Amino acid sequence: MARSTAPGTISRQQSRGSALTVPRIGDLRPYILLILLTIMLLTVAYTARPTVVIDLGTNRDVAFLQDFNGREIDASGASEQFAWPAGERELAIPGQRDGVWIATFEANPAQPDRALRQVAIAVDGIRVEMPRLSERTLVAKLTPDLLEAETVTIQTVSPLVGDPEPPTDLVGTLTIAPARTYRWTQGESQIVMPGLGRGAWTAHIRLIAAHPNQQPVEATLLVNGVPMIAIPDRGEERMIHLHIPASLMSNGDLELALQANVYNDPRELGVLISRVVVAPAAGTGIIRSAVPPWANLFYMLTMVLGVYGCLSMLRIGDTTRFMARAALHRWGELVPLIGGLLVLLVGAWALMFYRFPTNFFLPRLAGLAIWSIVLALALIPATNWMLASIGAITVEEDQNNHWLHPAPLTSGLLLIFFVSYWFKAGGMLYPYFVAIDVQWHMDRARWIIEGQLPLLYGLNSPLNESTMPTAEWGENRPVIPYSPYFHMFAAPLGLLPWPMPLSINMLSALADSSRIILIGLLGWRFGLNARNVIFAAAMYAVMPVTFLLHAWGNVPTTFGLWMTLVATTFLVCTWERIHERGPMVIFSLMLTVTFLIYTVTAVFMGVFLVLLTLIVLAAAPQGDEWAALRTRIKPIWQATGMAILVVTIVYYGQYILPIIERSIPYFATVFSQGASSVGVERAPFHLYMWSFFQAFDYRIWPGRYLFYGLAFPLLFTIPGFLHLWKRPLAGVILAAWFSVSVVFMLAGYRISMVDKQLFYILPIIAICWAVYAGRYWQRGRWAQIMIVAIYLISAVAALDQWFFRIAISPLS
């Protein structure tokens, strides 16, 4: 493949603006237009006055509540009892039931106490929430969507997906009944609805004001700080009806506060509340109520103008020259305005039809927009510098402030970066998003703040044991260090004035999206032209698989993979200078961080360097360039040796003896005699491999629970690799990189790898795809339509994956 000329020179003419009349960032006209349109569309949106229903104790109540106790559920009607069939793991019951139901599983009398801890509950294959577990009973919540069929099947399944099925005969009886979900207030608790809208409203609150000790509750309801009603004590559930005058809604926000005496159980229990309904009151003038709350108007303006300003800084129109279509240039110049309008239209639509949770979402998105401007100011010069350092762009030395003006290739990469980052970070900012394991990891980081670092640092660290389930490793597990350095890195986040999970989620999205820029650097160094570099970066951005680690909350893996990519990219970009002191020291420092941040990815990096060395030494020299590769092996291992020495001294050295005594015999047994030799059941090898092919699809296969969406780029991976093998540096790097994945894919049949080797090679899958995507692009319109269709299919599947994972977040 012939390299194109440098894809852009940042010239003085560019700094002064384009000859086109399309607005630039310094032109105030688009800002004025967007401000006027925002005011107009938000006014239209607030002509809608929705009814807001909050069922307390359900998954979606938490955003409305402040200072409430935890969710609770109990039976509120006649129950039905079913005997669990002997020797079975499932029971069919009549369906077509309305509302939420509570299912109570009673242990079989022949089973010991705590026997039900071996099971989880599923309905027709869908796992359900289990809010309570005692010595003899297990309580599960059945939502209306699970009970729509004429007959539904209740199943006992393993607590961990993929574990062997639990024993039969654990359950004796199943009792189901209509459920009531609720929460207790504390001494003072609030139900908040920011940005609800102006005008008069009505509130209807279902509650119980009574304490078990018969002491007076003396509850008072306040509306936006004004006492409205004293609630009489009564030990039965009743509905409180309240008219909220327009005079109390001048800013469009609503806060219902309940003050009460408390009963300590030892929780502070004030009033039991099960349902709140807020509806528009009749007689409110449409003009008065349509004036949007000033706070929401500010948030929306910040979002719209922030997106426009960020995209304007990128000068998107220059990137369209890679497509070799001059007509696209003007459309590229309009991208910032189109982006701002899309944000405005979607935001106004959401406010009109989904007032909540949109109002909880807006402040976070406004903060993301401001942060994006800061990122653009930092990433434009940084990306220009990195691309210039490898010869991908050139810069005129006499130009003032040239680093703030992106070259065309920089614009393309950063556009892809920001779109990817906005979707990932935006999804994490959604009020009901919970990354599965993030809270667990942040709890361990808090231990460090609390002075428990020695507990995590030693041989008996709970990190080692809790991350190696018996079902996956057997009873006599090997000793595998779980480095605490990620949690040490995350610990200072606990000092920030917002939740730690939010901070680490934002950093995770930023690290993952920045891989797009690193892929661009690698692609150029491997010989791709500017268009193909964009193709590679865009393919990584739309891979559905890249959203999974964020949904799972596996942040150590995310940062470990990011560090391996950073170190590898640095090695490739400084290959000719790696023997110099500066690059060698930097590479050694990068390896040190990589080896410490997460053990699994540290092993990946170490095996990569070993395989790279073997491939370089084994390859027959085919010219001076191939022969020169061998001269870089010594400085690479000098840097690596120093990193290994440091990490052995500061952490891994304590594990050398236990690994020799326990881990090596364990792995020798597993790899010679199979997983069953250590008490682990695994599917046959052909089914293990077949599971990969199923996961490469762009949809979930029946009986599975995920998909990766890699079929299209994988079709071009081997041809792309064979083409790049002709380039010595690209060939040996890619060969070693792919070999790591193959080695650990085969190892994963014997030990638990959780497909991390697949996540490791995603950047080079994207690069190899781009080689042939670029070739097909040059074959004419139909080939271009095919390439665009592949990106669209992958992008739709990725968003479907992301929205689905957000929707099933395990809310507490």
Side-chain angles (χ1 to χ4, degrees):
M1 180 188 304
R3 177 186 291 277
S4 68
T5 58
T9 299
I10 307 175
S11 65
R12 191 184 304 273
Q13 181 180 3
Q14 283 180 302
S15 70
R16 293 174 178 169
S18 170
L20 294 171
T21 59
V22 177
R24 289 289 194 178
I25 191 171
D27 190 344
L28 293 180
R29 290 174 297 173
Y31 291 95
I32 295 173
L33 173 64
L34 290 172
I35 290 172
L36 293 175
L37 286 175
T38 300
I39 295 172
M40 181 181 70
L41 287 182
L42 255 66
T43 301
V44 172
Y46 270 92
T47 60
R49 289 167 57 77
T51 297
V52 183
V53 179
I54 310 171
D55 284 317
L56 276 76
T58 62
N59 291 340
R60 302 289 169 170
D61 70 345
V62 63
F64 294 93
L65 307 180
Q66 296 178 1
D67 299 321
F68 272 74
N69 285 298
R71 294 187 286 128
E72 298 191 45
I73 184 172
D74 62 17
S76 64
S79 63
E80 302 175 51
Q81 189 173 85
F82 304 88
W84 197 272
E88 298 291 337
R89 295 192 182 93
E90 59 184 39
L91 167 66
I93 64 172
Q96 296 182 339
R97 301 170 187 266
D98 296 327
V100 177
W101 287 66
I102 184 171
T104 304
F105 297 80
E106 184 79 27
N108 190 317
Q111 295 291 339
D113 289 347
R114 304 168 65 90
L116 293 183
R117 297 181 184 273
Q118 303 177 59
V119 302
I121 304 302
V123 177
D124 292 329
I126 300 174
R127 291 171 177 256
V128 301
E129 182 184 352
M130 300 179 298
R132 287 202 299 272
L133 178 64
S134 67
E135 296 292 302
R136 302 292 303 173
T137 62
L138 183 153
V139 173
K141 187 173 76 172
L142 309 181
T143 54
D145 56 301
L146 298 173
L147 303 173
E148 292 176 348
E150 185 173 349
T151 301
V152 296
T153 303
I154 312 293
Q155 303 152 315
T156 57
V157 295
S158 61
L160 184 66
V161 174
D163 272 7
E165 295 293 339
T168 59
D169 298 326
L170 292 178
V171 179
T173 59
L174 166 64
T175 303
I176 66 170
R180 174 185 65 180
T181 59
Y182 60 92
R183 288 181 187 258
W184 284 93
T185 67
Q186 299 182 24
E188 181 169 352
S189 302
Q190 299 82 32
I191 302 167
V192 295
M193 300 181 193
L196 175 64
R198 304 176 194 272
W201 297 82
T202 61
H204 314 274
I205 306 173
R206 184 181 296 161
L207 53 77
I208 298 176
H211 287 159
N213 62 358
Q214 307 305 315
Q215 293 298 310
V217 180
E218 297 180 347
T220 303
L221 176 64
L222 298 85
V223 176
N224 288 340
V226 177
M228 292 291 288
I229 185 174
I231 302 172
D233 289 8
R234 189 178 301 173
E236 60 191 33
E237 191 172 68
R238 69 190 190 276
M239 187 75 78
I240 301 295
H241 303 279
L242 182 68
H243 177 78
I244 303 171
S247 59
L248 292 180
M249 297 294 295
S250 58
N251 62 358
D253 300 334
L254 176 62
E255 177 187 275
L256 302 174
L258 285 124
Q259 297 176 346
N261 296 330
V262 297
Y263 169 80
N264 293 293
D265 80 333
R267 297 172 301 166
E268 289 189 353
L269 303 182
V271 177
L272 182 153
I273 300 182
S274 61
R275 185 177 175 88
V276 176
V277 178
V278 174
T284 301
I286 189 172
I287 295 178
R288 182 178 181 181
S289 64
V291 176
W294 303 125
N296 276 15
L297 182 59
F298 170 77
Y299 295 141
M300 187 66 73
L301 283 171
T302 302
M303 287 166 49
V304 172
L305 299 181
V307 168
Y308 174 79
C310 181
L311 294 177
S312 295
M313 294 170 66
L314 301 184
R315 299 175 178 265
I316 307 301
D318 296 339
T319 308
T320 56
R321 69 182 61 178
F322 299 152
M323 303 298 109
R325 289 182 180 272
L328 291 176
H329 184 83
R330 182 176 293 272
W331 286 105
E333 293 288 345
L334 290 174
V335 164
L337 190 59
I338 294 171
L341 289 173
L342 281 175
V343 170
L344 174 57
L345 290 172
V346 173
W349 167 81
L351 279 172
M352 175 173 280
F353 294 102
Y354 300 96
R355 188 70 49 89
F356 296 100
T358 303
N359 281 335
F360 299 122
F361 205 12
L362 288 181
R364 300 181 176 196
L365 293 180
L368 180 62
I370 295 172
W371 170 240
S372 297
I373 296 290
V374 176
L375 271 181
L377 290 172
L379 288 177
I380 288 172
T383 307
N384 275 340
W385 177 80
M386 288 186 287
L387 290 172
S389 69
I390 62 173
I393 64 173
T394 57
V395 181
E396 290 186 359
E397 295 298 333
D398 63 341
Q399 181 186 336
N400 294 325
N401 300 321
H402 57 260
W403 291 118
L404 292 178
H405 298 284
L409 184 55
T410 301
S411 296
L413 290 174
L414 290 184
L415 173 63
I416 298 167
F417 163 83
F418 275 109
V419 173
S420 172
Y421 178 63
W422 285 335
F423 274 109
K424 289 173 179 174
M428 294 175 177
L429 291 173
Y430 185 68
Y432 300 121
F433 172 81
V434 176
I436 296 172
D437 288 339
V438 160
Q439 187 63 57
W440 186 92
H441 287 292
M442 293 304 97
D443 286 343
R444 274 64 188 169
R446 288 190 192 93
W447 290 358
I448 295 173
I449 299 176
E450 296 166 358
Q452 298 188 54
L453 177 58
L455 176 65
L456 299 178
Y457 212 90
L459 281 171
N460 296 319
S461 167
L463 293 175
N464 299 347
E465 296 298 322
S466 57
T467 57
M468 298 175 67
T470 301
E472 296 180 7
W473 294 91
E475 293 290 345
N476 298 314
R477 290 167 288 193
V479 175
I480 299 179
Y482 193 117
S483 171
Y485 275 84
F486 166 77
H487 301 89
M488 293 165 62
F489 157 76
L493 299 178
L495 305 177
L496 298 176
W498 48 76
M500 289 181 72
L502 177 62
S503 299
I504 201 65
N505 279 337
M506 292 300 97
L507 289 174
S508 176
L510 179 61
D512 182 54
S513 298
S514 69
R515 286 158 69 96
I516 289 167
I517 300 171
L518 300 176
I519 287 170
L521 297 172
L522 281 174
W524 183 267
R525 282 289 290 167
F526 288 163
L528 273 62
N529 60 28
R531 178 193 295 147
N532 292 357
V533 165
I534 295 298
F535 280 152
M539 178 50 69
Y540 181 83
V542 299
M543 287 177 176
V545 65
T546 63
F547 291 83
L548 280 173
L549 286 181
H550 300 302
W552 294 338
N554 202 336
V555 279
T557 302
T558 298
F559 283 91
L561 291 170
W562 181 71
M563 276 307 308
T564 63
L565 184 60
V566 168
T568 305
T569 303
F570 181 83
L571 174 63
V572 172
C573 290
T574 60
W575 184 265
E576 290 79 10
R577 299 174 47 235
I578 196 64
H579 60 285
E580 298 175 9
R581 178 178 298 177
M584 191 187 303
V585 170
I586 295 173
F587 183 56
S588 184
L589 291 174
M590 287 181 174
L591 288 180
T592 300
V593 176
T594 302
F595 291 156
L596 289 174
I597 198 78
Y598 186 53
T599 307
V600 174
T601 51
V603 175
F604 284 176
M605 192 69 201
V607 173
F608 166 78
L609 293 172
V610 170
L611 292 175
L612 174 65
T613 301
L614 295 177
I615 291 170
V616 169
L617 295 178
Q622 302 172 14
D624 293 341
E625 192 174 357
W626 277 92
L629 293 177
R630 298 187 178 185
T631 63
R632 301 296 180 259
I633 297 301
K634 181 178 178 180
I636 287 174
W637 278 101
Q638 287 175 331
T640 303
M642 182 58 66
I644 292 174
L645 178 62
V646 171
V647 301
T648 301
I649 292 173
V650 302
Y651 179 67
Y652 288 107
Q654 62 185 320
Y655 285 92
I656 293 176
L657 185 59
I659 287 175
I660 293 174
E661 293 177 344
R662 289 177 52 187
S663 300
I664 292 179
Y666 176 92
F667 289 121
T669 301
V670 167
F671 286 110
S672 62
Q673 302 178 30
S676 59
S677 63
V678 293
V680 177
E681 297 295 329
R682 293 197 179 276
F685 183 74
H686 69 280
L687 293 179
Y688 168 75
M689 295 301 298
W690 174 240
S691 67
F692 282 101
F693 288 98
Q694 291 177 308
F696 293 154
D697 200 353
Y698 293 84
R699 59 189 174 86
I700 297 178
W701 281 46
R704 292 186 59 85
Y705 62 96
L706 59 79
F707 66 90
Y708 291 150
L710 286 172
F712 288 123
L714 279 175
L715 290 175
F716 296 90
T717 295
I718 294 178
F721 166 68
L722 293 177
H723 178 86
L724 292 175
W725 174 255
K726 302 172 186 176
R727 302 176 180 273
L729 179 59
V732 295
I733 294 290
L734 291 173
W737 206 327
F738 278 123
S739 296
V740 171
S741 180
V742 172
V743 167
F744 283 98
M745 182 178 69
L746 296 175
Y749 176 60
R750 301 292 191 181
I751 59 175
S752 178
M753 287 299 304
V754 202
D755 297 350
K756 292 178 182 178
Q757 71 281 359
L758 184 62
F759 291 91
Y760 175 69
I761 60 168
L762 293 179
I764 51 175
I765 289 176
I767 289 172
C768 291
W769 143 267
V771 173
Y772 274 82
R775 285 190 169 190
Y776 279 103
W777 186 264
Q778 295 176 323
R779 293 187 178 183
R781 179 172 299 176
W782 288 107
Q784 292 171 3
I785 291 174
M786 180 192 72
I787 296 297
V788 171
I790 289 174
Y791 278 104
L792 289 176
I793 291 170
S794 187
V796 169
L799 294 180
D800 179 62
Q801 171 97 273
W802 190 220
F803 295 156
F804 169 71
R805 296 290 169 176
I806 292 172
I808 63 172
S809 290
L811 295 169
S812 59

